[in-house]
Amino acid sequence: MKKIFNVLLLLIFTFILSTSIPVLANETVKAEGEFDEFGIRNHNLIKNEFDPINPSDGWETIHSKNSVELNKKWTITFTGSTVSVDKIAGIVIEKDGSFLPVKIELHLNENKATIETVKDYLGDQSYTIRVFLENGLKYKMDFTTKSKHLNSLNYGNSTGNLLNGGIVAEDNDWIYYANSSENNTLYKINKSDSTKIKLSDLEWVSHINVLEGWIYFFSAQNEDSMGYIHRIRTDGTDLQKITTSNDIFRVSNNGWIYFKDMMPANNGNGYFKIKHDGTHRQIIMSDEYYYHTPIIENDYILYTFGDSTQLVLYNLINNSNSIITTDIHTIFNYILVDDWIYYQNGINKIYKMKLDGSDKSEVIDNVGIFNINRDYIYFTNSDNYIYRMNMDGSNIQQLNSMPSHNINIINDWIYFEDQEWNYYRMGPDGSLLQLVTVAIPDTPRVNISPPYVDGGTIGGPYSMSTNVNLTVAITGENNSTVIFSNPRSNDDNIATATITGPNPSGHVFLNVQKIGTGEAQITFDYTDINNNTGSMTWIFNFQ
């Protein structure tokens, strides 16, 4: 019976080298059904079937693999009707006659098992995966690892998260996020007790990277109206402005920030790197118009140029680039997973192909946004619900039933925003849905999307109602409430007003309906959390 081995990328990298462990030396036989630390469940059978010095015959050999990543996770899928994962006597990874400590997961419903080493493989070395079945069948696959990358890096956030706004990142104890209830200011929330702390007053934060005690983020709120990369310590001190930028950036553990800058006044128009402290700015690629984001991943940079119908792979080792695919539609949202590239095109299809552009195939169509974690693609479709599927587009599962935005994945949690821009998280299978945070204002405040401004004027033709989110949690901290009431217009021939809510997320809306043209003063009353009463009036000019 043939076994299929698929290589999957782990999104959390470690860089500790593996050590060899003597095979079965002084081992204690585990209870039936339990794998030991080397992946063995039936010691007696394996001792009889395999001698690491003089291995027995009868192995069915799977085609070998070369240049395997140093942190690979393998998936073994059993096909046919006579073998299932519960009949596995052991799955081991062997090097030089010794088994390595491994972690094994069984997926009974999908008839597959995954195996990964506790520590990374050594570079440029030979290994063997061996599978033992209770019926005496044995399978093996030899593989060699690639040499260490010239740029084998850790990053402050994943490519998939950054393509989805980079709204969430984490370290050991804290989750860092852009609080949409306060114009995307930077907050952190404690993983254990949910303590929330505001870290910066800068607004419109995105593309959060967390690395080595610093938070790196993009903010469009600056005195010169330009977008900048900033950094701040994880305790909220020492805010620093690093450089201008106008796209996704990545922070790596080699001391560099990689970013795009199209600001000619700052020697822009290219892809750059700059030290973490903002010094030693250097250009990597210039004289191209990158209409979609350059993405760095170890030895490579992916980008598009021109009309964005050509995807280019830039090799940092030999400083060469090559066009690896052309699409009749715009190419964007490209993610490198192992030696495969997944990308989305202008008609919302996802394709995958190898690094050299070969073996290109369509994975799925009708996709809104997508992200990749471990062995699944997470995506939305026309209903904006979140789904997941296997890497080949099979086994599609619906995970939630609420319109969702910005899929960010950290470890085994999926973070996303609802239509009211509240943060939720859920498990990788859609279970354990939780509301992460709802901002509770101390006094009534207004969160008005452009072109609306507090007390300001609406210009241009408006034929529809305006819908203003008053961003109020009706029940919140200290059991307090904020109540809005009595909306009214000074001229019902120009506009009328109503208040609706709260919705399930705790938001209240002021709805202003245009009736005619001219100026209307819209007033409403409120009682704040301290029982203070008052009123607010805004001027709306309809033309």
Side-chain angles (χ1 to χ4, degrees):
M1 181 170 297
K2 187 177 180 180
K3 305 297 177 288
I4 301 171
F5 290 79
N6 296 319
V7 180
L8 302 179
L9 175 68
L10 289 176
L11 295 183
I12 300 176
F13 298 92
T14 57
F15 293 90
I16 304 172
L17 297 180
S18 299
T19 56
S20 296
I21 305 295
V23 176
L24 302 178
N26 300 317
E27 285 301 312
T28 301
V29 177
K30 297 288 182 178
E32 182 178 357
E34 182 182 359
F35 290 97
D36 71 6
E37 62 180 313
F38 303 111
I40 300 170
R41 183 152 59 178
N42 186 331
H43 283 234
N44 291 330
L45 185 149
I46 291 176
K47 283 182 178 179
N48 294 333
E49 292 291 338
F50 176 66
D51 179 347
I53 305 303
N54 298 298
S56 63
D57 295 329
W59 293 92
E60 181 174 335
T61 302
I62 310 299
H63 184 67
S64 62
K65 301 285 187 180
N66 298 313
S67 297
V68 168
E69 295 288 349
L70 306 184
N71 54 355
K72 287 300 186 263
K73 181 178 183 179
W74 301 90
T75 295
I76 305 169
T77 302
F78 293 86
T79 60
S81 59
T82 59
V83 177
S84 58
V85 293
D86 60 338
K87 299 299 189 295
I88 298 172
I91 312 174
V92 300
I93 296 179
E94 176 220 347
K95 182 179 182 347
D96 299 331
S98 296
F99 295 161
L100 303 182
V102 293
K103 293 186 292 185
I104 293 177
E105 295 180 356
L106 300 182
H107 303 270
L108 299 178
N109 293 337
E110 300 176 64
N111 209 28
K112 69 181 182 180
T114 61
I115 182 171
E116 58 184 305
T117 52
V118 173
K119 299 179 181 179
D120 281 0
Y121 302 114
L122 296 171
D124 199 21
Q125 298 290 312
S126 298
Y127 296 83
T128 301
I129 292 180
R130 299 182 184 270
V131 180
F132 305 87
L133 301 182
E134 294 287 353
N135 61 7
L137 294 177
K138 302 174 297 184
Y139 303 85
K140 70 173 184 176
M141 184 189 74
D142 297 323
F143 65 94
T144 59
T145 54
K146 63 169 51 178
S147 299
K148 281 282 190 180
H149 281 295
L150 176 66
N151 302 294
S152 187
L153 306 176
N154 280 341
Y155 296 98
N157 210 338
S158 70
T159 297
N161 285 351
L162 293 171
L163 289 170
N164 281 269
I167 59 173
V168 178
E170 72 164 358
D171 58 18
N172 291 334
D173 301 315
W174 296 87
I175 297 168
Y176 303 87
Y177 65 99
N179 188 344
S180 56
S181 296
E182 294 190 21
N183 295 334
N184 280 30
T185 49
L186 184 64
Y187 270 72
K188 68 178 181 179
I189 183 171
N190 190 275
K191 292 180 181 179
S192 59
D193 62 13
S194 299
T195 299
K196 289 175 285 186
I197 299 175
K198 186 175 184 178
L199 298 175
S200 170
D201 289 325
L202 284 176
E203 298 180 346
W204 313 121
V205 166
S206 63
H207 305 132
I208 300 171
N209 287 248
V210 177
L211 191 69
E212 299 172 349
W214 288 89
I215 310 163
Y216 300 80
F217 61 94
F218 177 85
S219 172
Q221 183 197 23
N222 294 281
E223 62 276 4
D224 54 9
S225 300
M226 297 172 67
Y228 281 86
I229 298 170
H230 298 75
R231 75 170 182 173
I232 192 171
R233 295 188 187 274
T234 53
D235 62 1
T237 61
D238 201 12
L239 176 65
Q240 302 172 18
K241 184 185 293 184
I242 303 298
T243 185
T244 55
S245 180
N246 59 340
D247 212 326
I248 291 174
F249 69 95
R250 296 197 81 182
V251 182
S252 69
N253 66 335
N254 65 353
W256 293 98
I257 302 170
Y258 297 86
F259 66 100
K260 185 180 80 170
D261 194 348
M262 303 296 284
M263 308 293 184
N266 297 290
N267 297 316
N269 194 22
Y271 193 58
F272 296 82
K273 66 179 182 179
I274 195 169
K275 287 291 187 180
H276 288 177
D277 62 0
T279 61
H280 298 89
R281 175 177 167 132
Q282 300 176 25
I283 193 163
I284 299 174
M285 299 183 299
S286 62
D287 301 324
E288 299 279 6
Y289 290 91
Y290 308 113
Y291 285 102
H292 286 288
T293 304
I295 294 293
I296 186 169
E297 198 73 65
N298 292 320
D299 297 337
Y300 305 105
I301 300 171
L302 284 167
Y303 66 96
T304 60
F305 69 97
D307 61 0
S308 297
T309 59
Q310 294 178 320
L311 184 61
V312 181
L313 183 73
Y314 184 93
N315 191 317
L316 287 166
I317 297 176
N318 55 24
N319 295 317
S320 64
N321 57 15
S322 58
I323 298 173
I324 53 176
T325 193
T326 299
D327 199 302
I328 61 174
H329 303 284
T330 300
I331 296 172
F332 59 100
N333 286 353
Y334 22 86
I335 301 176
L336 181 60
V337 179
D338 193 19
D339 292 326
W340 290 87
I341 298 168
Y342 292 77
Y343 76 86
Q344 191 171 354
N345 71 3
I347 57 173
N348 295 322
K349 292 184 177 182
I350 294 178
Y351 288 87
K352 72 172 184 177
M353 61 187 172
K354 291 184 177 178
L355 276 174
D356 60 2
S358 63
D359 292 346
K360 179 177 175 180
S361 63
E362 179 182 327
V363 179
I364 194 173
D365 61 6
N366 192 30
V367 169
I369 57 176
F370 81 100
N371 199 343
I372 296 177
N373 187 46
R374 300 185 187 272
D375 49 355
Y376 290 104
I377 299 173
Y378 296 84
F379 66 98
T380 61
N381 63 15
S382 57
D383 59 16
N384 286 325
Y385 300 160
I386 297 177
Y387 297 78
R388 78 172 183 181
M389 61 184 172
N390 295 337
M391 302 295 282
D392 61 1
S394 64
N395 192 27
I396 296 176
Q397 305 169 33
Q398 182 177 334
L399 301 186
N400 73 354
S401 298
M402 65 174 73
S404 306
H405 310 277
N406 295 329
I407 301 172
N408 281 231
I409 306 172
I410 297 177
N411 292 328
D412 288 324
W413 287 101
I414 304 168
Y415 292 82
F416 62 94
E417 294 174 311
D418 67 5
Q419 283 187 307
E420 312 303 336
W421 307 107
N422 290 311
Y423 287 112
Y424 288 82
R425 73 175 186 175
M426 61 184 174
D429 59 356
S431 62
L432 304 174
L433 179 65
Q434 302 171 12
L435 178 64
V436 176
T437 179
V438 175
I440 312 297
D442 291 334
T443 57
R445 67 183 293 273
V446 179
N447 181 6
I448 311 179
S449 301
Y452 313 123
V453 180
D454 288 24
T457 299
I458 299 178
Y462 287 86
S463 60
M464 298 177 63
S465 299
T466 64
N467 186 273
V468 179
N469 182 0
L470 299 179
T471 319
V472 170
I474 296 304
T475 301
E477 296 173 345
N478 302 321
N479 252 350
S480 57
T481 59
V482 181
I483 300 173
F484 292 94
S485 61
N486 194 23
R488 59 222 183 249
S489 170
N490 71 326
D491 191 338
D492 289 342
N493 293 319
I494 296 176
T496 59
T498 58
I499 286 178
T500 58
N503 65 11
S505 299
H507 291 289
V508 173
F509 295 89
L510 173 68
N511 305 291
V512 180
Q513 175 69 50
K514 175 186 175 183
I515 305 299
T517 58
E519 180 182 287
Q521 296 181 20
I522 305 298
T523 304
F524 56 89
D525 301 325
Y526 67 85
T527 302
D528 71 14
I529 60 176
N530 299 311
N531 261 346
N532 297 316
T533 60
S535 63
M536 291 184 179
T537 299
W538 296 322
I539 298 173
F540 293 80
N541 281 345
F542 290 103
Q543 301 175 5

